[in-house]
Amino acid sequence: RALEMGGGHGSGGDAHVIPVAVVVADDDPPGDRADDVPVAAVASPAPSPKKAPPTNSGAPTSTSSAPSPRASPCPEVAELANLRRLVAKGVPLTLAQATRARRLIAALVQGPHSSRLADASLDLAAPAKPVWPPPGGVGPNTPIRARLQLAQELITALQYNHTDALTYFTVNKDRPTCRVMDTARDIIRHGLPIRCVEAVFLAMYLTAGWKEVERIPLRMRSVVVDNEGVERSHAHIVLLIRERALDDGAVRDNRIIASKNRVDETSSDGDENRIDRTPSVFGRSIRYGALGTSRRDELAYVPFGAPTLSAVLEHYRAGYAKWRHRLVGVKIGLPVEHDPRSPSPVCWRHVAVECGTDWDEAMLTLESHDARCCGGGAGTRRHYDKWRCDGQMWTNDVDGSDARRRERESGWSGRS
């Protein structure tokens, strides 16, 4: 609304229009609006022509008085930047903070300050599209440790998908290997954020044909007590990387010895249940690692070089403990075929142990399974063929008590 002042009878002056800001109250209650975000509005009267500041005749005058987007007030950007700093420091957002962040982003997208989403301080720009193979190439002469590091860098560059109950790719694991590889190609093509299952698909595709290592699915289950005192269970999966033994060899005293067309899984003293905790290839320790992604860096990548499978699991156990989780269950599958066009299914679960009470006994069982079923060669093929025929999981107990207990508890048995 504008009011005219001056210019009356006897005043001798001209009439000037002075804008007056009128504030109208919002009739809608705050709770009824999904985008209930405070937006600052600034109103200032136009300068009077009689009091206009003198201009320098030698300097060019600006034809536009509109403020720049960077100088315009935008409290949403400031508040969103504060929440982004918490995430960058590794502080998890509460449910209220996460909801607030979604509303702030929605208000910015739909409001006049949508260009401010490109602000570098918010770190909301889309990640660069992944490129594989990398510019330098990944040849057979590149050390396997360096190749695995490059594969993990690509997985990490895609960033973790933090959206609620939304995945951009098919995460069904009960498919042939070739279909899983198709999903991995889509992940590289689109470059969208991923979660742990898609990261395993991608790791399987990137490492296909690297015959120096075996790729084995590794699933973990943890429990944590939330703020309400309720114990909740969380599942996670990574791709275990194990240095391959020989296509044909014998295991004696836990050393891989060259043999012709046979694999002996019995130690030299005839005790099939005894297993050394440090497997080796011709006296050299077998190396382990893991590829994957997670909300927490401690639960994603394990550099290739761990001496035992137990060392990898200890790494994850410490990572869970850092975030107040307790690792209670582990499932390990069988090595995945290196042929990306294979129609064979992936064995995601071949042995399952509960490690919440007796960690050492669980590690003994997993090390035994690793030495007998995951070293590559005829032994691995025999266990894989048996799994395809009967679908039963491997067990280390002779009387079957653990298997019957898992059947009763119906938590970690069969094809679960």
Side-chain angles (χ1 to χ4, degrees):
R1 180 175 299 178
L3 300 179
E4 293 186 358
M5 300 191 65
H9 294 287
S11 62
D14 299 330
H16 302 289
V17 179
I18 299 180
V20 178
V22 179
V23 180
V24 182
D26 190 357
D27 295 334
D28 298 331
D32 295 340
R33 299 177 59 187
D35 54 349
D36 185 19
V37 179
V39 178
V42 178
S44 60
S48 174
K50 292 184 176 181
K51 297 183 180 180
T55 58
N56 187 3
S57 59
T61 58
S62 175
T63 58
S64 175
S65 61
S68 63
R70 180 69 63 178
S72 61
C74 188
E76 296 91 338
V77 173
E79 187 174 356
L80 196 59
N82 291 331
L83 295 176
R84 188 65 185 85
R85 293 189 194 98
L86 293 178
V87 176
K89 293 179 180 179
V91 179
L93 298 180
T94 64
L95 182 60
Q97 289 174 331
T99 304
R100 179 64 175 168
R102 286 194 294 269
R103 291 184 176 182
L104 289 171
I105 295 176
L108 285 172
V109 171
Q110 300 171 3
H113 302 287
S114 58
S115 60
R116 298 295 299 275
L117 287 174
D119 194 332
S121 64
L122 298 180
D123 195 16
L124 296 177
K129 190 174 181 180
V131 178
W132 188 264
V138 182
N141 295 329
T142 305
I144 184 62
R145 184 185 179 93
R147 279 182 276 168
L148 292 171
Q149 176 67 31
L150 291 173
Q152 179 61 38
E153 289 177 358
L154 186 143
I155 295 173
T156 305
L158 291 172
Q159 299 186 5
Y160 190 84
N161 180 11
H162 291 275
T163 55
D164 295 335
L166 175 62
T167 56
Y168 301 107
F169 307 98
T170 303
V171 294
N172 180 19
K173 299 191 295 293
D174 297 329
R175 294 182 293 165
T177 303
C178 57
R179 296 295 174 236
V180 173
M181 297 298 100
D182 290 341
T183 301
R185 295 187 188 96
D186 291 338
I187 294 173
I188 297 179
R189 184 181 304 113
H190 297 288
L192 295 173
I194 57 176
R195 292 181 180 170
C196 58
V197 178
E198 297 103 303
V200 171
F201 291 172
L202 184 56
M204 290 166 52
Y205 174 76
L206 298 177
T207 57
W210 297 356
K211 298 298 182 66
E212 301 93 335
V213 295
E214 295 286 358
R215 299 90 42 77
I216 309 165
L218 170 60
R219 300 175 61 192
M220 292 168 285
R221 182 168 60 92
S222 65
V223 294
V224 63
V225 179
D226 59 12
N227 296 331
E228 288 76 18
V230 179
E231 187 176 77
R232 301 187 182 276
S233 177
H234 297 267
H236 184 46
I237 185 171
V238 296
L239 188 66
L240 178 68
I241 304 297
R242 183 193 195 273
E243 190 171 16
R244 194 171 190 177
L246 299 174
D247 288 339
D248 297 293
V251 179
R252 295 183 183 276
D253 291 329
N254 205 34
R255 294 177 182 269
I256 312 298
I257 303 176
S259 179
K260 202 166 186 178
N261 298 327
R262 78 181 182 92
V263 172
D264 184 7
E265 297 178 342
T266 307
S267 56
S268 59
D269 58 358
D271 183 9
E272 295 185 355
N273 293 327
R274 187 182 66 84
I275 186 70
D276 196 339
R277 300 297 286 268
T278 56
S280 58
V281 178
F282 292 111
R284 179 174 58 83
S285 176
I286 292 178
R287 294 173 294 176
Y288 294 81
L291 302 177
T293 188
S294 173
R295 292 181 178 89
R296 305 301 173 193
D297 295 338
E298 297 83 2
L299 305 178
Y301 175 57
V302 177
F304 186 68
T308 61
L309 172 62
S310 301
V312 176
L313 294 174
E314 285 284 359
H315 173 91
Y316 286 119
R317 187 188 185 190
Y320 276 118
K322 179 180 178 180
W323 299 103
R324 298 183 299 174
H325 282 241
R326 183 167 56 91
L327 183 60
V328 296
V330 176
K331 290 182 181 179
I332 297 180
L334 288 175
V336 182
E337 293 191 29
H338 282 273
D339 184 8
R341 296 168 295 181
S342 172
S344 303
V346 177
C347 179
W348 300 95
R349 303 160 293 269
H350 193 243
V351 61
V353 297
E354 296 177 357
C355 53
T357 56
D358 194 342
W359 177 263
D360 293 335
E361 183 65 25
M363 293 302 101
L364 184 64
T365 301
L366 294 178
E367 293 282 5
S368 177
H369 173 268
D370 176 73
R372 298 183 182 185
C373 306
C374 301
T380 298
R381 289 192 295 269
R382 183 171 69 250
H383 284 286
Y384 180 80
D385 292 339
K386 182 179 183 302
W387 171 80
R388 290 198 64 181
C389 291
D390 55 25
Q392 296 298 318
M393 299 179 68
W394 183 88
T395 179
N396 197 32
D397 59 321
V398 293
D399 57 353
S401 58
D402 291 343
R404 288 193 297 270
R405 178 173 55 82
R406 288 196 299 268
E407 291 286 349
R408 291 193 304 269
E409 296 177 355
S410 65
W412 289 75
S413 61
R415 288 183 177 269
S416 62

